[in-house]
Structure formats: C-alpha cells, structure tokens
Amino acid sequence: MDHDTLKTTVQTLWDGPILSSLSELVSIPAVSPSFDADWQRNGHLDAAIEHVRAWAEERELPGARVDVVQLDGRTPVLLIDVPATPGAEEVGTALLYGHLDKQPPVGGWSEGLGPWTPVVRDGKLYGRGSADDCYSAYAALGAVLSVREAGGAHGRCVVLLETGEESGSPDLPAYLEHLRPRLGEVSLVVCLDSGGADYERLWLTTSLRGMVAVEVRVQVLDSGQHSGIASGVVPSSFRVLRALLDRVEDPETGRVRLPELHVDIPEVRVKEATAAVAGLPGMVVGSFPFTPGVRAVSGDELELELNRTWRPTLSVIGADGLPTPADAGNVLRPSTSLMLSFRLPPTADSEAALAAVRRVLTTEVPYDAQVELSRVEHADGWNAPDLAPWLSEALDRAGSEVFGQPWGALGMGGSIPFMGLLQEAYPHAQFVITGALGPDSNAHVPDESLRLDFAAKVTMAIGHLLDGHGKR
C-alpha cells in the first residue's frame, strides 16, 4: 500500500466532504435517550442516522450496502457493509464501531461557540458530538476509502453506528444478537470512541472501566416543616444520606470502601501506566483545569493514573430536593436525592458491585428513614486481549508512517459497554480501541472540540491497520 496516496486521500476527504458533512451533523441536537425522553417524537437521532447514511451512499463504494436497522421501540443503528478487496475475503470481518448520539448541551460555552453551532477555529471543530463521537463515522469510512485508493487490501468491513452509547448502550445487546448472523466471523474490532494523552502519537486504550449508577432518595417527612421547629426532632434527610455515603466512600481519601468494587491490577497494566507517566511528565494533572490552589488527590502521577483507570471511584453527578441558595427558606426538607456514579475496575463484576452498593445503602438506615433506589444501571468493563503479531506490526507501521514515533498504550477511565459485549461474542477477535479525543477535547462539557489534523492522522492509522488485517 502506498502511504503517500493514503495520506493524500485522507487529507482531501477531511479538508472537504468530511468537514462539511461533520459540521452539519454537529448542528443536529441528537441527544442520547437518557437525556431526551421524547427522542422518538423529536426525531433527532433519526436525523443523525439519515445524515450519515446519505453521506455514506454518496461515496459509491463498490458493492457496499448501507442500511438503517431499527428494532421495535429501540434506538436506530446504521450499518455500512463493505465487501473485502479481492484476495482478502478469508480474513474475517473488521467491525468498526462508533456512535452518533450526544451528551446534553450544558451551559457555559465560550463566546461565539455553542453546542449546536459548528465553528472551525485554530484547527479545531467546535460543537457537541464533534469529538464524542460523530467524527467516528467519517474516520471509519474514510479509512476504508483510503486503503482502496492506495492499492491496499482490507477484509470485509462493517461500520456499526449506534445512537444510545451515551445512555449506556441499552439496546446494543439486542442488536448484537439480531445482527450476529449477518456480521459473521468478526476477527478485528476497531472502536473509534477513545483517545489518548497527547496528539503526537496513536494511542491504544487497553482497558475500560465498568460502571454502576443509581439514584438514591432518602425521605423523612411527607411534607416540609419549619426548620426552627422540626430540627432536633426530625432527622435531616441530607445527614442520613451523608451517613450512607460514608459507608461507601472514605470522605477523607475518596477510597471506595466496598471490597466487591476492587480488583488486583494486572502487572502489564501497571507497566503501561508507568511508561506513560514517565514519558509524559504532568500528563495526568495537566489534563484538568484545576482551580488555582487546588491539589490533586495524590502527588504521585502513577497513583493518579491507576486511580482513574483501575480503581473504583464515586462521583455525585446530580441532586434533587435542594433549592438554590437564593430560593432556600427555613425549611427542613422532606427528602434529598443524589445521583451516584461509580466507576469500576475493568475486570470487576458490575452485578456484584451493584448488589454491594444496594446492600449498604438500604440496610440498617439511620432512624429507619425511607430509602428508594431508582435509575439503576450497571455494566462491566473491558480488558484488552494480547496483541497478535500481525496487529503489533501494523501498529508499528502506523506509528512510523503516520506519526513518526511509536504508538502508546493506556487504560481509560470511561466506559464503553459494547466492548465487553463484543469480547464475549467474539473471544478470538483482536481489539483496537483508539480515537481522536485528546487532553483538551472537552467531551461531555462546554467547548467540546475535535483536532482536525489529529482526526485525519487517526484515519490514516486505521487505514494501515485495515491493510494489515487484510494481508494477515
């Protein structure tokens, strides 16, 4: 395969048809179902699917089949099925995964920017979904196109784009079962919903944390009461909830106290983390906009990296029953609700973790206050299998030809539930979890952006991996 032709093809695509179409896709408010109860009626997920479907068909890939698949009551999926190049029919299917649903817009975007307003500034495309993860559709198909233009080989490639990932991929198990006969023998999985510690090399994600999420509501009264009269008699729902949280998490250190949420960290992952933080000093702390004077939870970068990839954590991500300070009266409130988000080590059993969380939050509750759990979900993490020799060689070529330096490997603290499902379904497949997210991509928060030059390089790198797969 001619790398110069590959590079020219990818750059031409990104400078023209990809950037134009991706910008239009950013403007579609395709918020994930968990954040849009009326997603079916609003039609934004369907609009995103249709937009990418039309773009894919315009590429006119020989023999390609582009289908929208939608099971009853479930979010739609786009399937782009590209036949293998001649001679590569027997290598199996390469499944390239991404998602088109988005996080909610949130406020606080910088002047001139907005979630649904695509803006190109200083080499970045700003807007919700630009980096997480709408670009993946174009990078996947662009890689296939570039391999063909460059005279390379690829096996059958199936691009699978879902619209529920930001909601935990609840519909993917059903689709995986439904599509299993059509997908056939998958020998390579490429997920383009990740990233790395810098923009100087290709990064592989070697592990993903699992998760448990639950809304916990503590109720002590049927209606609010004057705080001057009721306090000292009626227990505060906030205090009860605080006591329950202290059972789960050490308030001094943040260490999760439940043994069911901990695992032994594999030595190979410790070595990867050690190499990464040694090669990029300040990599972890420098990734976050700390308020001046605030310190990280540890001064040891390796410990921080392991904390965010292989140790359980708890984040309180939402609250209800608490008025704003400006609206707060002297009322002992009847209830307090918190949304709890646990991140689990990649190899932890999320079902056992959820059972442990449920047990400590609902048994022997102080004052026999009523505790209700809702919005419960859990998902296992993922730990990468060892690299096959052909894939290791293809990664080395991609690092050398595209980035001019070796690829890196890191765990990621986020969750992609589909990866665990795929590993169960295709235990002999090779996995490449990578992507264009970088230290300042701002996924899930204001000013989300995609580094366009890096996205193009990731596309080129995937082209090299597809060529390696086609020639294995």
Side-chain angles (χ1 to χ4, degrees):
M1 183 175 67
D2 184 72
H3 172 72
D4 289 339
T5 302
L6 178 90
K7 179 179 179 180
T8 299
T9 302
V10 168
Q11 201 60 62
T12 300
L13 284 168
W14 271 97
D15 289 344
I18 288 181
L19 178 57
S20 175
S21 183
L22 178 56
S23 297
E24 293 176 13
L25 184 56
V26 166
S27 69
I28 300 174
V31 176
S32 199
S34 286
F35 312 103
D36 182 5
D38 293 326
W39 64 269
Q40 289 179 293
R41 183 173 61 184
N42 291 334
H44 300 310
L45 297 179
D46 292 322
I49 286 277
E50 175 59 26
H51 181 82
V52 177
R53 183 202 62 77
W55 190 88
E57 289 191 339
E58 290 171 3
R59 301 311 105 199
E60 298 182 341
L61 272 163
R65 178 179 170 185
V66 184
D67 294 319
V68 177
V69 183
Q70 186 161 20
L71 299 175
D72 186 39
R74 299 189 183 275
T75 53
V77 164
L78 183 64
L79 213 62
I80 307 169
D81 193 336
V82 183
T85 55
E89 295 88 353
E90 302 302 320
V91 302
T93 297
L95 182 63
L96 296 96
Y97 165 84
H99 67 88
L100 301 178
D101 60 314
K102 307 175 184 180
Q103 281 282 315
V106 306
W109 290 67
S110 298
E111 185 176 355
L113 303 178
W116 318 128
T117 305
V119 173
V120 176
R121 182 185 296 175
D122 299 326
K124 299 178 181 180
L125 172 62
Y126 287 85
R128 179 62 82 227
S130 58
D132 184 21
D133 181 44
C134 293
Y135 88 94
S136 62
Y138 303 95
L141 204 54
V144 176
L145 287 162
S146 65
V147 170
R148 288 174 166 254
E149 287 292 322
H154 66 73
R156 175 180 176 234
C157 293
V158 177
V159 181
L160 174 62
L161 303 165
E162 68 156 315
T163 54
E165 192 277 340
E166 300 293 2
S167 300
S169 298
D171 296 335
L172 257 294
Y175 277 112
L176 187 58
E177 185 63 29
H178 176 72
L179 295 170
R180 189 186 300 271
R182 179 168 173 182
L183 292 177
E185 185 56 40
V186 174
S187 54
L188 172 64
V189 175
V190 178
C191 171
L192 287 160
D193 190 23
S194 189
D198 65 13
Y199 296 107
E200 304 304 319
R201 72 207 79 208
L202 181 70
W203 288 92
L204 254 62
T205 297
T206 52
S207 63
L208 297 159
R209 285 198 288 187
M211 56 84 68
V212 164
V214 59
E215 180 180 345
V216 55
R217 181 173 185 262
V218 171
Q219 183 162 352
V220 295
L221 289 167
D222 291 335
S223 61
Q225 299 293 308
H226 191 298
S227 61
I229 298 172
S231 60
V233 177
V234 180
S236 161
S237 61
F238 187 90
R239 181 163 63 86
V240 173
L241 190 47
R242 185 176 64 192
L244 294 177
L245 290 183
D246 285 352
R247 296 177 178 180
V248 174
E249 177 193 52
D250 185 329
E252 296 294 328
T253 65
R255 186 180 188 278
V256 173
R257 287 174 158 155
L258 307 182
E260 293 88 346
L261 277 64
H262 289 265
V263 303
D264 293 329
I265 306 175
E267 187 175 345
V268 64
R269 300 304 177 221
V270 176
K271 289 181 178 178
E272 285 177 354
T274 301
V277 299
L280 291 169
M283 173 189 77
V284 182
V285 174
S287 299
F288 307 102
F290 281 89
T291 299
V294 176
R295 295 178 288 111
V297 300
S298 171
D300 186 326
E301 282 251 312
L302 176 58
E303 290 303 303
L304 294 176
E305 180 60 25
L306 295 175
N307 281 349
R308 69 172 178 171
T309 55
W310 276 92
R311 293 184 181 127
T313 56
L314 167 62
S315 300
V316 177
I317 60 173
D320 197 10
L322 293 162
T324 64
D327 295 330
N330 290 318
V331 175
L332 197 153
R333 298 171 298 100
S335 67
T336 303
S337 298
L338 295 179
M339 190 68 199
L340 308 182
S341 174
F342 294 88
R343 294 293 174 172
L344 308 178
T347 55
D349 183 335
S350 65
E351 188 171 356
L354 174 59
V357 170
R358 186 188 300 275
R359 182 183 69 251
V360 299
L361 293 179
T362 59
T363 58
E364 298 182 7
V365 177
Y367 308 105
D368 294 326
Q370 294 183 13
V371 176
E372 178 184 356
L373 303 185
S374 60
R375 295 170 60 87
V376 176
E377 59 178 311
H378 68 93
D380 289 341
W382 172 82
N383 189 31
D386 294 337
L387 294 178
W390 72 262
L391 180 53
S392 182
E393 293 171 5
L395 286 165
D396 290 343
R397 283 197 301 275
S400 173
E401 296 284 350
V402 179
F403 293 93
Q405 58 182 309
W407 52 279
L410 274 179
M412 190 174 82
S415 303
I416 308 176
F418 192 35
M419 292 304 104
L421 294 173
L422 280 175
Q423 193 164 30
E424 289 181 14
Y426 305 106
H428 303 299
Q430 289 288 288
F431 283 75
V432 174
I433 315 300
T434 187
L437 286 164
D440 57 354
S441 294
N442 292 330
H444 295 204
V445 297
D447 295 355
E448 179 180 341
S449 68
L450 176 72
R451 273 271 300 258
L452 295 170
D453 60 341
F454 188 62
K457 288 185 175 181
V458 169
T459 305
M460 296 174 206
I462 298 305
H464 278 280
L465 302 188
L466 293 179
D467 182 63
H469 178 241
K471 295 173 179 174
R472 70 190 180 101

